[in-house]
Amino acid sequence: MTDTSDETGKKTANGGPTPLALLRAARDQLVELTGLYPEALPRLERTEEGWVLDAEVVELARVPETMSLMALYEVTLDPDGLLTGYRRVRRYERGRSDRG
């Protein structure tokens, strides 16, 4: 099969969006809906329905930054990269680490 991507890398060999294009589309759609800009997108996973990713955002900026209120959102996308839903999974202070 030949690669159908253009120089922006928006399509894979099977004609679907590349992971980078999916991440960009999800980020842009989440920003438009919530006004919150993701600082990190630590998870991207293919599912039977499409894709799911996690986005870390600053919900409330504080000084010092380590006291800012962060949130982790789970974002679902269809196979073409269109956002089908999102939900806040948890909130935490930036300076707090996960318990392991």
Side-chain angles (χ1 to χ4, degrees), residues 73-87:
Y73 281 82
E74 181 182 82
V75 179
T76 55
L77 306 165
D78 71 8
D80 295 322
L82 295 176
L83 191 140
T84 58
Y86 68 93
R87 68 184 180 102

Side-chain angles (χ1 to χ4, degrees), residues 11-22:
K11 297 288 181 186
T12 61
N14 66 2
T18 65
L20 184 57
L22 287 165

Side-chain angles (χ1 to χ4, degrees), residues 55-57 59 69-74 87-93 96-99:
E56 288 182 315
V57 301
E59 284 202 331
L69 190 58
M70 304 293 293
L72 182 69
Y73 281 82
E74 181 182 82
R87 68 184 180 102
R88 184 174 58 212
V89 177
R90 69 183 191 102
R91 294 174 89 181
Y92 54 96
E93 289 179 339
R96 304 257 177 168
S97 62
D98 288 338
R99 294 184 184 196

